[in-house]
Structure formats: structure tokens, C-alpha cells
Amino acid sequence: MKDLIKNIKSVSVVFSPSSPITDFIKNAQTFGRIKVDTSSVSSLSGHLEILADKVDFRTGNINILQVIDVCNGAGTTSGIFIQNLLLFTIREKNKVVKYNSDGQSLLSELVLTIAPEDISAVTQFKVAVSSNGQGVCVVDSDKMTLLQTLNLPGIPVYGISFVNEELFITCHGSTLTWINLSSGQTINQKTTRGQSYFVLSLSQTDYMYADSRTSVDYVVGNTKKFTYTNSEFDYPRGIGIDCMGNLYIATYGSRNIHQITNGGELIRKIPASTVGIENPWTIRFAPGSNKFIVTCNSSGKAALCEIVSNLLSELALPYAPEDIAVVTQFKVAVSSNRQGVCVVDSDMKILLQTLNLPGIPVCGISFVNEELFITCHGSTLTWINLSSGQTINQKTTRGDSFFVSSLSQTDYMYPEIADITPSVNYAVGNTKKFTYTNSEFYNPRLFGQFYTLQHIVLETFTK
């Protein structure tokens, strides 16, 4: 035995302490020391910091990754993420079903003795399923086997959310109930104003629930922190929370999802159509992720979605950029006042070329073709070859020419000051076709629809 122990270099142990703990420690000491590895905690913290840098949960776009027909056409379902898998309830078939992470493959299912309404994670490989008027079933989510049935006679059961492995909150109608999973004992009970079908528990004393058909209450330390309501907020149901602490409330009556802060301020309303369903029922986020699932009460479908940043990438340049123009399908040029032009690969986001233009007035830029562009600043328009940097042509204006729009080498449009009156000139074949001005036409480059010359052309033609 001694030789065998000497050969043991390291042991990884998943430790679930049981009573009495003192006896366990005494026995463990005969093997050596127990070391707590906190690297996973640090890793998660680092992951969240990276995620926060890449995704703005409050303004990011929502992408639909997969719409899953959980109930095969109609029915009621609730869903959660667990161990990179998706678990759903099917009330009409008394089932819990498991899908792979992308929602494209049904992996297994379990038939229950109850009609499931909601589902909540208990531990890493254990979930609990609630049933109206019947109780709670505990399921091994890895093996998809029934572990425990907890009958709760007289307890209003519908939504369910676990505080910890032993304590959960269930709710229905006008009652929230705190229950011990092992004993079934009621720990606490709270009366609401009704419509309390789902609950989100953050701790034993911090939770969120619907308190009427048009409001939800957020409680911290068993004291109400705020009540949220809105003119487009009807029949709130499932409540979710992302890894940044933003709250999401599914409203099947208003057919939208309200994203709010943990202070009760509205961030945005997400229409049901944005997530590919009709009547939002429940919403849950994957832990530490930008992915979430929304279920639909009418179709029995679930949408797997993600929040992605509007900003896909960025590139630091050696110059302060003024304007940008398309060169080719995957190439753009950026102009910089008194410095020159940078050419960037817009797909790979890398700097391809720096063209210094000493003595050339540079601000606005517009490409005639892949090799020729026009740049302008003040009272000068300049035609330049991109490869060589050679000046092909130059034109003097009466000033204020900060942007240009090129239709060809000889057809172009640019602003200038005519007798202190702002105007734009349109040249065809290097000959002025018209000058446009208007009493409500000031600084044609800086304000609203006149920000770029492309918009001025449209304005001119519509007028």
C-alpha cells in the first residue's frame, strides 16, 4: 500500500461534504492535504471581462441561431442551459427532452408522471421540474433518469427557481413559497397581487416575480427595491438575467421582452419577432455567456439566440482619419488632414498601405476607380494615383470644399462658398452643369442630411 501511495502524483477529487464533516477531515488527513483549486473561478472572472469588452448587452444586436420545434407544432415549453446542453419541458406529453448545444439534434427524452410547467438547474448534472398541482420531479440531466418525486399537496406550484441545492422558490397565482428539497418543508411563503407564474431567485432574500398582469417586483433583502411597469408590458411571465446583471422579462400579452437594469430602468424592448417567436413565455441565459433561449407559449417553439456587438472590430491607424471611401470589395481608403491616405483591408482589418501626400490638401476622399481618387480640402480638389502618389490633376475652388463625390474622373460634385453663400457645384465632363444653393442650406457637410455629398445629391434631385 505504501508503494502504491508513493506512486500517486496528483489526484483530482470532486468533493461533496456530508455530515459529520469532522470525521471526513480526520479520514482525509490520513491521505494528505486537500487543496482548493480556485483557478476555475479566476478563469470565469477573466472570461466575463473579455465578454464584457466584446459584447455590449444593452445595445448589441440579437442573432437567431436556431428555432427549435420542441413541441412539434403547438404546446407549452420551458427551457434551460445545463452543461452546454439544452433541456426543455413538454407539458402536453409529460416529457423532458435534451438537445445538443446548437439545438439541432434531439439527444434523449424522459417521460414523467407529471405534466411539467417549468425547469430549473439544481446542480451541475441535476434539474428540477415543476408541475401545477402535483409537485416537483428531480432528474439526472446526464443520464436522463428520475431521481426524486416531491409531492407538495396544498402548495401552489408552477414556476420554479433554485436558491441553492437544498432550497427553491416555487410560485403560482398569488403565492410564492420557499421549500426545502430534501424534506419538502415550507420555509417561507409570500402573498402577491396575482399573476405570479414565474420567479427568478438570486438568493434566499433577493428575487423577482410578477405582481400583477402589468408589473413585476424586484426584492432585495426581503425588501422591495422597485416595481417595474410599462405601457407595453402585459402579462409578464419568465424572467432571465445575463452575466452582466441585466434583467429580461418575457411578456406574452405584449409579445415582447423588456430588458431592464437591476435598478428598474428600461434599456430596450425586444419584439418577439426579433427572436423568431410569437408569444414569449420563458427566457434563460447560458451561465457566463451571451447566448439565451426564449420559449413560445403558443407554438411550443424555442429560439436559441445570442447578443453580439454592433462593433465587430477596430484598427488603430498612424493618422487621425477624416473621411473613408471604398476602393474595392474588401479594401477602403482613409484620408487624414495634412498627412495622407491609409489603405485598409476591410475584411482582415489590417493596414495595407500608407500614402504620404506632403503639400496636398487632404480631408474628403472619393475613388474614381481602384487606382484613381479625388481628395479635397479648403479650396483645392486633387486627383491622385493610388499606387504612385502622383498628382494627375488639381482644381481650385472658392473654398469650403471639404468633401467630394466622384461619379467618374470628369464627373464630380463638391461644395464651395459663392459670395459667402454656401453652395455645391455639379461638374459633368469637367464642365459645371449646375450650382445648387438654398436659403436653408448652410455648411453642406456637417449637419443632418447634408453630412456627406452623396446625401446632397439626393437632396438636390428631390428638390
Side-chain angles (χ1 to χ4, degrees):
M1 175 64 75
K2 290 182 179 179
D3 292 337
L4 180 63
I5 293 174
K6 288 179 181 178
N7 290 330
I8 298 175
K9 301 299 182 184
S10 63
V11 178
S12 177
V13 179
V14 177
F15 168 44
S16 297
S18 57
S19 182
I21 190 68
T22 53
D23 290 340
F24 177 86
I25 294 173
K26 188 181 298 182
N27 292 333
Q29 286 173 345
T30 63
F31 290 95
R33 294 177 299 169
I34 295 177
K35 181 181 179 181
V36 178
D37 184 3
T38 60
S39 61
S40 61
V41 178
S42 300
S43 175
L44 176 60
S45 175
H47 170 72
L48 293 181
E49 289 178 4
I50 294 171
L51 189 62
D53 288 340
K54 290 186 175 181
V55 179
D56 188 334
F57 282 78
R58 298 187 176 189
T59 62
N61 293 327
I62 295 174
N63 289 344
I64 301 172
L65 302 176
Q66 183 73 22
V67 176
I68 310 161
D69 192 2
V70 178
C71 300
N72 294 319
T76 302
T77 180
S78 174
I80 58 168
F81 293 86
I82 189 161
Q83 283 300 296
N84 204 32
L85 298 170
L86 303 172
L87 266 69
F88 299 99
T89 60
I90 305 178
R91 178 208 289 167
E92 289 73 15
K93 296 183 179 179
N94 290 14
K95 285 183 179 180
V96 176
V97 294
K98 179 165 68 175
Y99 283 77
N100 66 342
S101 59
D102 61 15
Q104 295 186 11
S105 300
L106 174 62
L107 302 178
S108 58
E109 59 182 41
L110 174 66
V111 178
L112 302 172
T113 57
I114 61 175
E117 299 290 355
D118 197 14
I119 186 169
S120 176
V122 183
T123 65
Q124 191 176 12
F125 296 106
K126 193 187 294 185
V127 298
V129 178
S130 58
S131 180
N132 180 16
Q134 297 181 71
V136 172
C137 286
V138 180
V139 173
D140 184 317
S141 56
D142 183 36
K143 300 176 181 178
M144 290 295 279
T145 56
L146 182 63
L147 299 175
Q148 177 186 353
T149 299
L150 184 65
N151 295 313
L152 297 171
I155 302 295
V157 176
Y158 196 98
I160 187 170
S161 183
F162 268 73
V163 175
N164 53 49
E165 294 181 25
E166 283 297 310
L167 183 65
F168 66 89
I169 310 175
T170 186
C171 56
H172 187 278
S174 58
T175 306
L176 271 64
T177 309
W178 284 250
I179 296 174
N180 180 280
L181 179 62
S182 298
S183 65
Q185 180 184 356
T186 296
I187 306 301
N188 188 26
Q189 203 163 59
K190 177 185 178 73
T191 301
T192 75
R193 293 184 299 169
Q195 294 292 323
S196 305
Y197 288 95
F198 291 94
V199 61
L200 171 69
S201 66
L202 306 175
S203 73
Q204 186 170 350
T205 60
D206 301 351
Y207 49 93
M208 194 172 190
Y209 62 95
D211 196 37
S212 73
R213 59 167 284 185
T214 58
S215 66
V216 293
D217 282 355
Y218 184 60
V219 174
V220 176
N222 281 326
T223 301
K224 185 194 297 184
K225 183 177 180 181
F226 66 79
T227 296
Y228 175 78
T229 189
N230 189 280
S231 59
E232 297 180 28
F233 191 73
D234 199 22
Y235 290 108
R237 288 298 182 253
I239 305 168
I241 184 169
D242 65 32
C243 56
M244 297 297 133
N246 302 301
L247 299 161
Y248 302 75
I249 308 151
T251 65
Y252 89 94
S254 301
R255 296 188 175 186
N256 57 29
I257 298 164
H258 286 237
Q259 182 186 14
I260 66 174
T261 68
N262 58 12
E265 298 175 353
L266 176 66
I267 298 171
R268 57 177 166 173
K269 301 171 192 174
I270 304 168
S273 58
T274 300
V275 295
I277 61 172
E278 299 170 1
N279 301 94
W281 193 245
T282 65
I283 180 167
R284 265 78 182 247
F285 275 78
S289 173
N290 58 330
K291 292 183 179 180
F292 64 93
I293 48 175
V294 184
T295 62
C296 180
N297 184 44
S298 54
S299 67
K301 294 180 179 180
L304 173 63
C305 305
E306 65 177 354
I307 299 178
V308 295
S309 177
N310 296 321
L311 174 65
L312 300 179
S313 60
E314 59 183 39
L315 175 67
L317 298 173
Y319 298 155
E322 298 288 353
D323 196 15
I324 187 168
V326 174
V327 183
T328 64
Q329 186 178 10
F330 297 108
K331 193 186 294 184
V332 297
V334 180
S335 59
S336 180
N337 182 16
R338 298 176 185 171
Q339 298 183 78
V341 172
C342 290
V343 180
V344 174
D345 185 316
S346 56
D347 183 40
M348 301 298 291
K349 291 82 183 178
I350 56 175
L351 182 63
L352 299 174
Q353 177 186 352
T354 301
L355 184 64
N356 295 313
L357 297 171
I360 302 295
V362 177
C363 183
I365 187 171
S366 182
F367 269 73
V368 174
N369 53 48
E370 294 182 25
E371 282 298 309
L372 183 65
F373 66 89
I374 309 175
T375 185
C376 59
H377 187 280
S379 58
T380 306
L381 272 64
T382 309
W383 283 249
I384 296 174
N385 180 280
L386 179 62
S387 298
S388 66
Q390 180 183 356
T391 297
I392 305 301
N393 188 27
Q394 203 163 56
K395 177 184 177 71
T396 301
T397 75
R398 287 180 291 184
D400 223 35
S401 305
F402 290 98
F403 290 92
V404 61
S405 178
S406 65
L407 307 177
S408 73
Q409 185 170 350
T410 60
D411 301 352
Y412 47 93
M413 197 170 188
Y414 60 95
E416 69 174 358
I417 294 291
D419 299 325
I420 73 168
T421 302
S423 63
V424 292
N425 285 339
Y426 185 53
V428 176
N430 279 327
T431 301
K432 185 193 299 181
K433 183 176 181 180
F434 65 78
T435 295
Y436 174 79
T437 188
N438 189 281
S439 60
E440 298 181 14
F441 193 66
Y442 179 71
N443 261 358
R445 68 189 181 280
L446 299 175
F447 304 107
Q449 70 268 33
F450 303 122
Y451 184 71
T452 66
L453 286 176
Q454 286 86 342
H455 292 112
I456 293 173
V457 172
L458 295 176
E459 273 302 302
T460 302
F461 291 159
T462 57
K463 290 179 183 294

